Amino acid sequence: MKELIKEALKQVEPKLEEREKLLSLKDRILNEIEQLGIKGVEPKVVGSIAKGTYLEGTDIDIFLVFQKGTNLKEEGLDIAKKILPKGKELYAQHPYLRGEIKGVGIDLVPCFAIDKSTESISAVDRTPFHTDWVVSNIAGLENEVRLTKQFLKAIGAYGANSAIKKETGKDVLSHIKDTVDEENKKKKFYAKLKKILENRIIATRKKLQNY
């Protein structure tokens, strides 16, 4: 199984060319936002790009963090449209803009700055806390998270929105980190991954039986 996992890791880890393209594009967008010279907004990279767990074909998620009371639709989308003039306006508790640059999907999401996750006006406002937690806990486990995410995506069990509970990136890291230590992390990762696979197979079978 170890050799199988080793080979699978080679397939899910983005190639150097794609990594450089994504990170360069991310820096370019951040620089363009800064060059606008607009006060009162802080851009923050979130999602798998920030966590270092992105797969091939990933999007770049950048939050535009404003103080509470800001009109996110007006001020937030005004900035987003300067970066993504052909972007599509969508809504997920807060309005945001989705577009594409050089074939890479870009989400620019206005949100409110909060001091504690319990103060959030919506789940969107908690996302920076989610990202910070993962970044501070993931060291050395990036590829293991990548592999687990890819498996869950392949069986339709990865993502935040579903009638059936799916796993999120934070869930994946929690599953792995619960049983990982620096001394024996690879061995424990294999055991944990096997358990995740078994549980998801059982859940999928039960789902199919209900149809």
Side-chain angles (χ1 to χ4, degrees):
M1 184 174 181
K2 289 182 180 180
E3 288 303 314
L4 179 63
I5 290 177
K6 184 178 179 180
E7 186 61 31
L9 280 171
K10 292 180 182 178
Q11 296 183 34
V12 301
E13 186 176 10
K15 303 296 186 292
L16 176 62
E17 182 179 356
E18 180 167 5
R19 293 202 305 270
E20 291 179 342
K21 176 182 177 180
L22 287 169
L23 297 180
S24 174
L25 183 53
K26 178 259 298 181
D27 290 339
R28 168 187 156 184
I29 295 171
L30 291 176
N31 183 60
E32 288 182 1
I33 295 173
E34 182 180 353
Q35 292 300 313
L36 292 174
I38 299 175
K39 296 181 179 180
V41 60
E42 177 188 357
K44 183 177 179 64
V45 180
V46 299
S48 60
I49 294 291
K51 302 164 192 170
T53 60
Y54 51 92
L55 302 170
E56 284 195 28
T58 193
D59 293 339
I60 296 176
D61 301 316
I62 297 179
F63 275 37
L64 304 172
V65 187
F66 292 87
Q67 293 302 311
K68 291 180 183 178
T70 303
N71 186 321
L72 297 182
K73 185 174 179 62
E74 288 185 8
E75 297 185 43
L77 291 187
D78 180 64
I79 293 175
K81 288 175 181 177
K82 286 181 170 63
I83 307 300
L84 297 172
K86 296 182 180 180
K88 181 179 180 181
E89 184 178 332
L90 300 172
Y91 192 89
Q93 298 184 322
H94 290 324
Y96 70 101
L97 209 64
R98 173 169 293 169
E100 188 176 292
I101 299 176
K102 293 185 176 180
V104 178
I106 311 292
D107 281 356
L108 296 178
V109 186
C111 72
F112 292 121
I114 55 177
D115 295 323
K116 299 178 182 178
S117 60
T118 53
E119 297 176 356
S120 62
I121 296 173
S122 76
V124 175
D125 304 315
R126 290 196 298 270
T127 298
F129 287 89
H130 167 120
T131 299
D132 290 343
W133 182 89
V134 173
V135 169
S136 64
N137 283 274
I138 200 172
L141 296 173
E142 290 84 356
N143 279 338
E144 282 77 4
V145 171
R146 275 194 178 103
L147 180 58
T148 310
K149 282 170 60 175
Q150 183 59 61
F151 169 77
L152 293 172
K153 285 182 70 174
I155 63 172
Y158 182 81
N161 298 316
S162 176
I164 297 176
K165 173 66 173 73
K166 292 186 179 182
E167 307 289 348
T168 65
K170 184 172 182 293
D171 293 330
V172 171
L173 178 58
S174 295
H175 287 319
I176 295 171
K177 193 169 179 61
D178 282 346
T179 57
V180 169
D181 58 30
E182 288 304 315
E183 257 179 61
N184 211 10
K185 67 180 181 180
K186 294 297 181 185
K187 180 178 178 181
K188 292 191 174 185
F189 165 67
Y190 298 140
K192 191 61 179 179
L193 177 59
K194 181 180 178 182
K195 187 65 176 177
I196 293 173
L197 303 188
E198 291 172 348
N199 288 342
R200 296 312 309 190
I201 290 171
I202 292 171
T204 301
R205 284 175 177 168
K206 288 182 178 178
K207 176 176 180 280
L208 293 174
Q209 289 170 359
N210 291 329
Y211 282 125

